[in-house]
Amino acid sequence: MNAAFLPLIAIVLFLLGLRFVGGLLDRAILPPGPSPRGDPAAAWLFRSASLSGGTTVLGVAVAVGFGWVPGFLWVLCGSLLGGAVMGAVASRLGLGRELGRAMGGLLGDRYQVFFGAIGSVVLLGLSAVLLLLVAQLLASHPAIAIAFLLQMPLAWLATRWLSGAWWRTLAVAGGVSLLLFLAVWAGGYLPVAFSGTVDIRAGSTRLVTLDASLLWMMLLMVYLGVSLAMPASALGRARGVLAGMQLVVLVVALLAAVLLFAPPVLAPQFYAPAGNPGELPWLFVLVSGGAVAGFHAWIALANGAQPGTRMSYSVHLFDGLLGVLVVVACTAGFAGLEDWQSIYAEWPAPDEIGRALEIFLFGAASLVGDWAPAELVTALCAFILASLSLTTLEAALRGLAAIYASTPGGAAPDSVPRHIMPPLLVALAVVVLAGGEGRGGLWLWPVWLPVNQAAAALFFLATAAWLRREGRPLVSVVLAPGLFLGGVSLWALIREAISQWQAGDFLLFTLCAAGASLVLGILAEAGLAIRRSRQQP
């Protein structure tokens, strides 16, 4: 099959969804709201960068192991009817303002408990995974280190010009991004790499091995401490706008290469690698970024400048387009079927999932390789993924600060309060080191993925209860995906708990059982809330 058909199909469906589903949300579910304040280009770029991080590439690249058809269809359906709807509703309601106050009265104190508990699990797990992915990209691709470090001061200097007129935002973001791309090229001649390892021991017991990835994690933690202590408008938002512009360049370059060269899809339509956990239900929890993910709701909470409903819908559809291009890169960017099968012959262990990024980088370099050297394309893509992942990481930590520093549903603080910063970073460090050698996020991956989708179910079900109480139509638009994601999450957690019990890993079994109990509580509480909402005027 010609790979060019996949993004073309996605673009047509996404445009139709933007026209009809986005308009439906504007007219029927939500009342007309005020126009977005501020620069729409900056808001769109920042929101895109906050969502389209390494999680989109990681989840889709792993899910391609089931074949290209399941991942492609779920990205389309999840984006159109799941993630994009959730993002649009969250944007208009402010998720944490109007909806948060309504849910506080509708679901009661238990909602506050569920909101805080599941939000903490999702955002901490997400932050640990992203911190590791950024560090691994910097350690594996030393050519990007100079550009990655240079973007911090450049973003700070460009802050005043990355707002206001949309054309000025695009011009400045494009110019600074070009400068950073030149720095990536120069980094090929001046790489920044750390070599060797150091074992930190307590007596004869090895506590942790300090290698290049862990050293980069420590440096990133220092940066996060500085950035989060500052107002988001001082550094984090400007750097996110730059990352959003780089994302646009990545998507346009990949799309142009696919449409121009029209490579064939080499992967089979359906595939079952050895040791895979089962296409059902894991496909629906694995492909979260790029389709629908619970952390998207908390990213919306942390994002102070919300774009309008239809604009927010387009942001999630753009994330879905990135997911489709990842499918293409991981299925058409190989020399032949044998090469693809050699890479996807076995399902990766949790601590090996990070190598899916390298599969995407290899495929992307193969698609665009006729325009530039493969080494340069690989470095540029790695730099963009690292920048996007850091933006999502910062937004996730600001969402955590909102949970800890205010009532659930309160607005995220512009800067993280001083009394919140130490426990926030300590909690992140504990999760990161839980699995040893900084891989705690990937060690918890089988638990985090279903809980992440359960968080999406919580948002959909709470919104359905709120809409029913307000007497607004189309409750099924948010109720159906909520029930589906809740059931899939519970199914995945029960299966994983059984697997961990059989494997003798009683710690992960306990975590899976606790997650399943949390999901059951969410479904039960939401059901009671929807039932009560029918009786309220």
Side-chain angles (χ1 to χ4, degrees):
M1 178 180 177
N2 191 325
F5 285 114
L6 300 185
L8 287 176
I9 292 172
I11 290 173
V12 170
L13 292 178
F14 288 169
L15 289 176
L16 291 174
L18 185 63
R19 171 65 178 85
F20 295 104
V21 181
L24 192 65
L25 290 170
D26 272 334
R27 296 189 304 270
I29 293 184
L30 303 170
S35 300
R37 294 178 297 175
D39 180 3
W44 193 93
L45 290 173
F46 176 76
R47 184 73 174 271
S48 296
S50 298
L51 297 182
S52 302
T55 53
T56 299
V57 175
L58 185 64
V60 176
V62 174
V64 166
F66 291 126
W68 69 266
V69 170
F72 175 68
L73 292 179
W74 175 234
V75 167
L76 289 183
C77 297
S79 297
L80 282 169
L81 303 176
V85 172
M86 180 172 67
V89 174
S91 174
R92 179 59 63 86
L93 292 178
L95 184 66
R97 295 174 176 84
E98 183 178 356
L99 179 62
R101 288 192 296 268
M103 290 300 99
L106 184 61
L107 299 184
D109 295 336
R110 286 175 295 187
Y111 167 75
Q112 310 286 346
V113 174
F114 286 131
F115 189 100
I118 201 169
S120 298
V121 172
V122 168
L123 295 179
L124 270 177
L126 173 68
S127 300
V129 170
L130 291 174
L131 185 64
L132 175 62
L133 294 183
V134 175
Q136 287 183 336
L137 287 169
L138 289 167
S140 302
H141 304 275
I144 73 174
I146 292 178
F148 186 82
L149 297 174
L150 186 61
Q151 68 177 323
M152 317 301 183
L154 287 180
W156 181 73
L157 292 173
T159 298
R160 59 180 297 183
W161 291 287
L162 290 174
S163 61
W166 64 267
W167 58 266
R168 185 175 64 183
T169 296
L170 296 179
V172 173
V176 175
S177 296
L178 178 60
L179 181 61
L180 292 173
F181 292 158
L182 292 174
V184 172
W185 170 79
Y189 300 95
L190 297 170
V192 178
F194 302 105
S195 60
T197 60
V198 175
D199 287 340
I200 300 177
R201 297 178 176 272
S204 60
T205 304
R206 180 174 64 87
L207 298 178
V208 67
T209 298
L210 182 62
D211 58 5
S213 294
L214 200 56
L215 182 57
W216 275 115
M217 286 187 197
M218 295 169 62
L219 295 176
L220 289 170
M221 291 281 282
V222 173
Y223 163 75
L224 290 171
V226 174
S227 178
L228 295 176
M230 302 170 63
S233 56
L235 176 59
R237 190 170 299 278
R239 209 195 54 74
V241 171
L242 295 180
M245 176 58 70
Q246 295 157 22
L247 170 65
V248 172
V249 172
L250 174 65
V251 170
V252 170
L254 289 177
L255 182 61
V258 172
L259 296 180
L260 181 62
F261 301 122
V265 175
L266 301 172
Q269 296 175 342
F270 300 93
Y271 191 69
N276 75 87
E279 188 171 330
L280 298 176
W282 281 99
L283 172 68
F284 302 108
V285 297
L286 188 61
V287 183
S288 53
V292 54
F295 71 83
H296 287 168
W298 277 268
I299 294 299
L301 179 144
N303 181 14
Q306 297 288 353
T309 301
R310 194 169 298 194
M311 184 184 294
S312 180
Y313 192 87
S314 70
V315 167
H316 287 260
L317 293 181
F318 194 73
D319 187 34
L321 179 59
L322 174 63
V324 170
L325 291 172
V326 174
V327 172
V328 173
C330 294
T331 57
F334 294 88
L337 177 60
E338 294 77 12
D339 290 342
W340 185 89
Q341 289 178 328
S342 67
I343 292 177
Y344 283 99
E346 294 185 1
W347 191 259
D351 60 350
E352 298 175 345
I353 289 177
R355 68 182 175 90
L357 291 182
E358 299 299 328
I359 298 175
F360 165 73
L361 293 176
F362 176 84
S366 299
L367 294 176
V368 192
D370 290 345
W371 293 339
E375 296 80 4
L376 178 59
V377 175
T378 300
L380 288 172
C381 292
F383 167 71
I384 294 173
L385 286 183
S387 298
L388 292 171
S389 298
L390 184 59
T391 303
T392 311
L393 173 57
E394 287 190 63
L397 291 176
R398 290 187 185 277
L400 268 175
I403 293 175
Y404 297 155
S406 62
T407 59
D414 191 42
S415 60
V416 178
R418 292 183 178 179
H419 69 282
I420 296 295
M421 182 74 71
L424 184 66
L425 295 180
V426 168
L428 176 59
V430 169
V431 175
V432 165
L433 297 175
E437 300 182 1
R439 298 176 180 270
L442 295 182
W443 176 66
L444 294 171
W445 188 260
V447 182
W448 178 80
L449 281 172
V451 173
N452 176 50
Q453 297 303 69
L458 170 63
F459 173 80
F460 281 118
L461 295 175
T463 305
W466 184 83
L467 291 173
R468 186 178 293 276
R469 191 190 70 172
E470 296 294 314
R472 300 185 182 183
L474 299 178
V475 175
S476 59
V477 172
V478 291
L479 180 60
L483 293 174
F484 174 75
L485 290 173
V488 164
S489 302
L490 183 61
W491 182 8
L493 283 167
I494 292 175
R495 286 192 56 175
E496 186 65 24
I498 295 173
S499 298
Q500 297 301 336
W501 177 270
Q502 294 172 344
D505 193 333
F506 299 114
L507 178 56
L508 280 180
F509 165 77
T510 302
L511 293 176
C512 289
S517 300
L518 182 62
V519 175
L520 279 173
I522 289 172
L523 294 176
E525 189 64 31
L528 292 174
I530 293 174
R531 181 179 179 182
R532 289 195 300 267
S533 66
R534 296 177 179 176
Q535 304 171 358
Q536 297 183 10

